[in-house]
């Protein structure tokens, strides 16, 4: 009978195998706890150890993790692939983002990044379309696709919601999007909103000759989400939207499976992510949220506005690069920039984040002095100024909707 003690989980001479999952954490050991002692406890508690030395026999399968690198406040931990059930994202999180987030051995701990081995990635579908949605749904490959959320966020009637959608679509936007907290409320029921918005979509398509679509929010209990996805597909829509953090990762996996059958793209809203990725020293990073979102198979994901918008900044450019990186053949994810954006910010945004993007503006469209259609025209014109290589102020000289937007908001970030 041999035992397992904390010391078994620290080996600075260990070299990870190609099948290991390698996680990078930043930790602050508790008072009186050495970095080595805290680092071994992180590996232990996130794999198969606990606080007491344990007795084991030859029936035991050792799935213990190994802290193999300590560099300042940063540790790297290697996990055997066999610790993780294939294709079970909740169980992955229960290991690498579970008990260790609350263990007394560390004052703070943050999961910053994961290096995913093929042995784990092959258990997940990845995106059905990825950034290919631009071409496959809209026939666009030379500019960002543009979206708007009717505002106020909730409370609009179904008819008014659809009308705003029509104005935005004929003004030049590609996508109408539900807000993260609009689902199936009495003032704007899901089925009615779907039907009436798609009727307006069809009219806008006929009028503009451009493909238009709708990010309808199906977020709910899982079985309800499946029914709502079925309904969206049956009515000829191309997307569903899911609040992936509040819905839960197991539910996202179930919706992804159904969307494969239905041919629906998934737009992932990340509401609640800031509960654990905003504080720089504790929780999990947005980079990690983007990684598990890609594995679970969303096609579009909000990843920030490179500091231009109204919400806290993060490593948007680095996250977007990872979402496009090679990952054993998994499709990429189209970044969505949103939150406090308006036409005057588009050149800076595209300069920093490129054009393979979805740009969403709510207040920056509907707050336009001449209304939603003019706001949509201004946003499309601002994108056109970039793709045509003309300075936005010069472009605005013969594009009055853009000129009005610049006069109202300039190129400043709202607070
Ligand atoms: C933006 C938005 C989005 C945020 C989400 C909102 O509206 O609809 O939910 O962008 O943040 O409700 O605030 P505005 P993120 O365009 O009117 O700001 O994209 O960072 O996840
Ligand atoms: Mg919103």
């Amino acid at each position: 009978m041999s035992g397992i003690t904390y010391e078994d989980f620290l080996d600075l001479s260990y070299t990870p195998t190609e099948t290991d999952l390698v996680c990078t954490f930043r930790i602050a050991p508790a008072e009186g706890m050495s970095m080595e002692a805290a680092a071994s406890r992180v590996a232990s508690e996130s794999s198969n150890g606990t606080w007491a030395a344990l007795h084991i026999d030859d029936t035991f399968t050792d799935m213990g993790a190994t802290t193999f690198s300590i560099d300042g406040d940063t540790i790297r931990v290697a996990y055997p692939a066999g610790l993780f059930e294939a294709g079970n994202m909740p169980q992955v999180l229960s290991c690498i983002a579970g008990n260790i987030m609350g263990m007394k051995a560390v004052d703070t701990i943050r999961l910053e990044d994961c290096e995913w081995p093929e042995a784990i990635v092959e258990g997940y579908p990845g995106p059905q379309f990825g950034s290919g949605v631009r071409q496959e749904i809209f026939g666009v490959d030379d500019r960002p696709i543009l979206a708007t959320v009717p505002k106020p966020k909730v409370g609009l009637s179904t008819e008014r919601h659809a009308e705003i959608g029509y104005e935005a679509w004929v003004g030049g936007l590609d996508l109408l999007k539900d807000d993260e907290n609009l689902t199936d409320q009495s003032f704007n029921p899901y089925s009615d909103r779907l039907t009436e918005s798609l009727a307006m979509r069809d009219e806008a398509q006929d009028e503009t000759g451009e493909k238009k679509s709708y990010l309808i929010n199906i977020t709910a209990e899982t079985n309800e989400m499946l029914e709502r996805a079925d309904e969206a597909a049956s009515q000829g829509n191309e997307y569903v939207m899911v609040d992936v953090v509040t819905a839960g990762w197991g539910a996202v996996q179930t919706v992804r499976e159904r969307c494969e059958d239905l041919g629906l793209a998934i737009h992932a809203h990340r509401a609640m992510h800031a509960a654990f990725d905003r504080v720089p020293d504790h929780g999990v990073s947005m980079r990690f949220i983007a990684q598990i979102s890609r594995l679970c198979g969303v096609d579009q994901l909000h990843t920030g506005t490179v500091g231009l918008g109204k919400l806290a900044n993060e490593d948007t450019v680095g996250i977007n690069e990872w979402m496009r990186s090679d990952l054993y053949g998994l499709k990429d994810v189209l970044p969505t920039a949103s939150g406090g954006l308006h036409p005057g910010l588009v050149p800076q945004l595209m300069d920093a984040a490129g054009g393979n993007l979805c740009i969403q503006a709510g207040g920056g469209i509907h707050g336009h002095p001449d209304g939603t259609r003019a706001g949509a025209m201004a946003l499309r014109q601002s994108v056109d100024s970039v793709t045509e290589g003309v300075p936005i102020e010069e472009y605005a000289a013969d594009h009055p909707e853009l000129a009005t937007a610049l006069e109202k908001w300039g190129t400043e970030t709202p607070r």
Side-chain angles (χ1 to χ4, degrees):
M1 293 271 266
S2 64
I4 304 181
T5 63
Y6 278 139
E7 290 63 38
D8 297 321
F9 296 91
L10 179 66
D11 178 355
L12 300 181
S13 66
Y14 178 76
T15 301
T17 69
E18 65 173 13
T19 60
D20 283 345
L21 169 66
V22 173
C23 295
T24 299
F25 298 90
R26 284 194 299 112
I27 67 173
E31 191 172 345
M33 180 75 67
S34 71
M35 195 63 188
E36 289 74 12
S40 60
R41 283 159 174 75
V42 169
S44 165
E45 188 59 45
S46 57
S47 57
N48 64 7
T50 187
W51 62 274
L54 303 174
H55 306 293
I56 54 175
D57 62 22
D58 57 9
T59 64
F60 171 67
T61 304
D62 186 358
M63 286 294 156
T66 304
T67 294
F68 64 95
S69 167
I70 296 177
D71 179 6
D73 68 350
T74 300
I75 66 171
R76 298 177 74 208
V77 182
Y79 296 84
L83 171 66
F84 306 103
E85 177 191 352
N88 184 339
M89 190 53 75
Q91 188 260 347
V92 170
L93 292 169
S94 297
C95 290
I96 64 177
N99 291 353
I100 54 175
M101 293 293 152
M103 59 194 289
K104 287 182 180 175
V106 292
D107 285 343
T108 58
I109 178 171
R110 194 173 200 254
L111 173 56
E112 294 286 2
D113 193 13
C114 292
E115 294 155 63
W116 300 90
E118 187 168 18
I120 292 177
V121 171
E122 65 188 8
Y124 294 89
Q128 184 174 185
F129 301 94
S131 65
V133 284
R134 290 196 303 157
Q135 182 60 45
E136 291 183 50
I137 295 178
F138 301 99
V140 165
D141 60 8
D142 61 347
R143 64 170 176 84
I145 53 176
L146 306 178
T148 191
V149 177
K151 300 284 182 179
K153 282 182 185 263
V154 293
L156 293 171
S157 68
T158 302
E159 183 183 10
R160 187 71 192 112
H161 179 101
E163 280 169 5
I164 291 173
Y166 174 78
E167 289 298 307
W169 277 317
V170 296
L173 302 195
D174 307 288
L175 283 162
L176 173 65
K177 173 184 170 294
D178 283 349
D179 232 322
E180 65 278 357
N181 57 349
L182 179 64
T183 52
D184 184 28
Q185 291 101 319
S186 59
F187 49 79
N188 194 348
Y190 175 87
S191 292
D192 297 347
R193 182 165 79 250
L194 177 66
T195 304
E196 292 195 31
S197 299
L198 290 184
M200 289 293 108
R201 182 272 291 270
D202 294 346
E203 279 194 36
Q205 280 186 162
D206 293 345
E207 187 169 334
T208 61
E210 292 183 338
K211 179 67 185 166
K212 309 293 183 182
S213 193
Y214 180 23
L215 304 178
I216 187 158
N217 189 1
I218 65 169
T219 303
E221 177 277 328
T222 304
N223 291 315
E224 183 59 39
M225 285 203 283
L226 297 180
E227 288 181 24
R228 291 178 186 176
D230 292 345
E231 193 177 351
S234 71
Q235 298 247 356
N237 202 31
E238 292 79 14
Y239 282 91
V240 293
M241 167 175 152
V242 179
D243 299 344
V244 291
V245 174
T246 55
W249 299 99
V252 171
Q253 292 186 265
T254 303
V255 169
R256 171 65 179 87
E257 195 174 333
R258 180 62 65 89
C259 286
E260 181 76 25
D261 300 336
L262 298 171
L264 290 176
I266 299 172
H267 178 89
H269 196 289
R270 58 176 180 168
M272 192 180 162
H273 72 98
F276 36 73
D277 71 15
R278 179 173 185 177
V279 175
D281 295 329
H282 187 75
V284 301
S285 66
M286 179 60 210
R287 183 184 180 87
F288 173 70
I289 298 297
Q291 291 175 351
I292 62 175
S293 296
R294 185 178 181 188
L295 288 175
C296 290
V298 308
D299 297 291
Q300 301 178 186
L301 173 68
H302 290 240
T303 58
T305 58
V306 290
L308 292 168
K310 68 185 179 185
L311 299 163
N313 195 7
E314 60 234 302
D315 174 25
T316 298
V317 172
I319 293 167
N320 292 358
E321 282 170 0
W322 187 90
M323 292 205 302
R324 296 191 183 106
S325 64
D326 178 51
L327 190 62
Y328 310 108
L330 243 52
K331 285 196 169 73
D332 64 354
V333 176
L334 186 70
T336 295
S338 172
L341 293 178
H342 57 76
L345 294 173
V346 168
Q348 298 166 73
L349 173 66
M350 290 179 67
D351 182 46
N356 193 6
L357 201 58
C358 174
I359 299 175
Q360 191 293 124
I365 297 279
H366 313 300
H368 189 286
D370 300 324
T372 295
R373 183 181 304 210
M377 293 171 73
L379 186 67
R380 182 74 178 262
Q381 288 162 3
S382 65
V383 169
D384 293 346
S385 76
V386 176
T387 54
E388 292 174 29
V390 177
I392 193 168
E393 290 81 1
E394 189 180 321
Y395 201 83
D398 49 5
H399 292 88
E401 297 79 9
L402 179 56
T404 304
L406 293 180
E407 192 180 329
K408 181 171 179 65
W409 293 310
T411 55
E412 297 307 312
T413 295
R415 287 187 68 81

